[in-house]
Amino acid sequence: MKSSAPGKIILFGEHAVVYNRPALAVPVNQVQVDVEILDSDSAGIWIHAPIIDLHAELNSLQSDHAIGSVILKVLSLLDESPSSPNIQINISSTIPVASGLGSGAAVSVALICALSSFFSLSLTDNQINEMVFESEKLHHGTPSGIDNTVITFNKPVYFIKGQPIETFTVGKPFTIVIADTGIPAPTKESVGDVRKLWEKDKNKYESIFDEIGQISLIARRSIESGQPEMLGDLMDHNHSLLQQLTVSSPELDKLVLSARDAGALGAKLSGGGRGGNMIALVNQAEANQVAESLIKAGAKNTIITEIK
Ligand code: PMV
């Protein structure tokens, strides 16, 4: 039994989304997590995830282990008590860890989908989304739920915390270059730091969140109405607001500036910030040139993706 889940990028609205403002995110299908479940001769549930150097039997993991707890949750849904099925779970991924591409949520989505099929549980997307969100909450402090939603539904989403899921249509395809600083940056920390700032001066940070929320709204309209070229300025503006939230970094700023110098229509960090990835809007014909400039400016990896 095999299942996979894509990576994701946040186009607009990260951080403000934690404070109930809208954000836009899209799946990135050039990278993915694959989960395979096989019957096995060894006793127990063996998990092999070479990307995080995990080779263990389920019972040897702490009960709050990110992968182990997801498996236990699915097993708890089985009618009969899990008379310890003998299975092997292989997890592989091309999504860089802790870099804003949703690797953690993608592992959970692919794992739950594979277990659901293996045990014929027929879980719905909404149920899967809810379970992954529970796991995200255990490991990421106060997540908004945007990662699990865009990855579970594998469609562009306009996301407001706690509100029904809205997917949106892309009026005219557009091209994004994603560049990785190579610096792992746990989202929990940047989200926690923004919370501390907000607690000290709520008026100031609420108005930054408002401005970011407006950008997400205008961006959605631009995308739906087939005017993606409008997104460049919106990205630049969103990046400057993220700088004010202190979640950019010298490396991210350098990549953002290089992308613009190389002809990108706009650029910003994407995700939790401090490290991880940035994104740039480009004319398709210039995508390779921008990607090359980003590598010269220090990016460890680039992905060119068409949003459609
Ligand atoms: O770092 P990522 O891509 O997982 O994105 C986090 C997005 C935040 O808005 C910073 C946090 C959240 O839970 O929405």
Side-chain angles (χ1 to χ4, degrees), residues 8-10 13-19 23 98-105 133 136 140-148 159 161 185-188 190-191 194 242 247 269-273 276:
K8 72 100 212 347
I9 46 168
I10 296 181
E14 50 275 272
H15 287 286
V17 71
V18 175
Y19 299 80
S99 67
L101 290 180
S103 64
F133 186 43
E136 293 276 291
H140 296 297
T142 54
S144 60
I146 189 166
D147 279 23
N148 44 283
F159 182 87
K161 202 167 104 177
T187 298
K188 195 174 177 171
S190 63
V191 169
V194 171
L242 287 162
V247 296
L269 72 85
S270 175

Side-chain angles (χ1 to χ4, degrees), residues 1-269:
M1 191 60 63
K2 283 186 187 171
S3 284
S4 58
K8 72 100 212 347
I9 46 168
I10 296 181
L11 290 179
F12 295 96
E14 50 275 272
H15 287 286
V17 71
V18 175
Y19 299 80
N20 304 308
R21 278 27 170 229
L24 302 188
V26 290
V28 175
N29 284 289
Q30 280 85 349
V31 285
Q32 65 181 34
V33 170
D34 291 298
V35 172
E36 181 185 33
I37 304 186
L38 307 162
D39 285 311
S40 146
D41 293 335
S42 314
I45 298 179
W46 279 86
I47 306 149
H48 297 284
I51 25 153
I52 50 165
D53 206 16
L54 174 69
H55 301 278
E57 206 283 317
L58 179 63
N59 289 316
S60 71
L61 300 176
Q62 304 264 21
S63 61
D64 63 352
H65 186 278
I67 291 176
S69 60
V70 165
I71 298 171
L72 286 171
K73 184 85 190 155
V74 177
L75 292 180
S76 75
L77 301 175
L78 297 177
D79 284 342
E80 306 125 47
S81 69
S83 49
S84 224
N86 294 340
I87 55 175
Q88 177 176 332
I89 302 176
N90 296 327
I91 304 173
S92 58
S93 175
T94 52
I95 308 178
V97 177
S99 67
L101 290 180
S103 64
V107 168
S108 300
V109 171
L111 189 54
I112 296 175
C113 288
L115 289 164
S116 170
S117 306
F118 189 84
F119 292 113
S120 308
L121 285 170
S122 316
L123 295 175
T124 64
D125 280 352
N126 277 319
Q127 286 170 311
I128 294 168
N129 192 29
E130 198 49 48
M131 288 169 77
V132 179
F133 186 43
E134 288 309 313
S135 161
E136 293 276 291
K137 279 197 267 193
L138 279 182
H139 301 102
H140 296 297
T142 54
S144 60
I146 189 166
D147 279 23
N148 44 283
T149 304
V150 64
I151 291 171
T152 303
F153 290 88
N154 201 353
K155 290 200 176 111
V157 295
Y158 179 80
F159 182 87
I160 303 177
K161 202 167 104 177
Q163 295 203 5
I165 290 143
E166 282 182 61
T167 54
F168 65 94
T169 53
V170 176
K172 183 172 148 199
F174 56 96
T175 307
I176 296 281
V177 179
I178 306 169
D180 192 348
T181 57
I183 302 168
T187 298
K188 195 174 177 171
E189 277 172 30
S190 63
V191 169
D193 289 350
V194 171
R195 186 161 293 275
K196 281 184 207 142
L197 292 172
W198 173 77
E199 272 161 3
K200 277 200 205 120
D201 190 347
K202 290 197 180 151
N203 282 342
K204 174 174 171 187
Y205 290 94
E206 284 290 326
S207 74
I208 295 179
F209 298 149
D210 279 342
E211 238 181 296
I212 295 178
Q214 279 302 315
I215 291 176
S216 295
L217 184 63
I218 301 168
R220 176 187 177 165
R221 290 196 191 125
S222 309
I223 295 172
E224 284 184 318
S225 63
Q227 296 172 286
E229 58 286 350
M230 312 259 295
L231 300 179
D233 287 348
L234 294 172
M235 281 187 181
D236 291 347
H237 187 189
N238 196 162
H239 186 71
S240 72
L241 293 165
L242 287 162
Q243 285 173 320
Q244 290 183 45
L245 295 180
T246 74
V247 296
S248 193
S249 68
E251 296 82 2
L252 281 166
D253 288 343
K254 185 172 179 202
L255 294 185
V256 164
L257 289 175
S258 323
R260 291 178 192 152
D261 286 349
L265 305 171
K268 64 183 276 292
L269 72 85

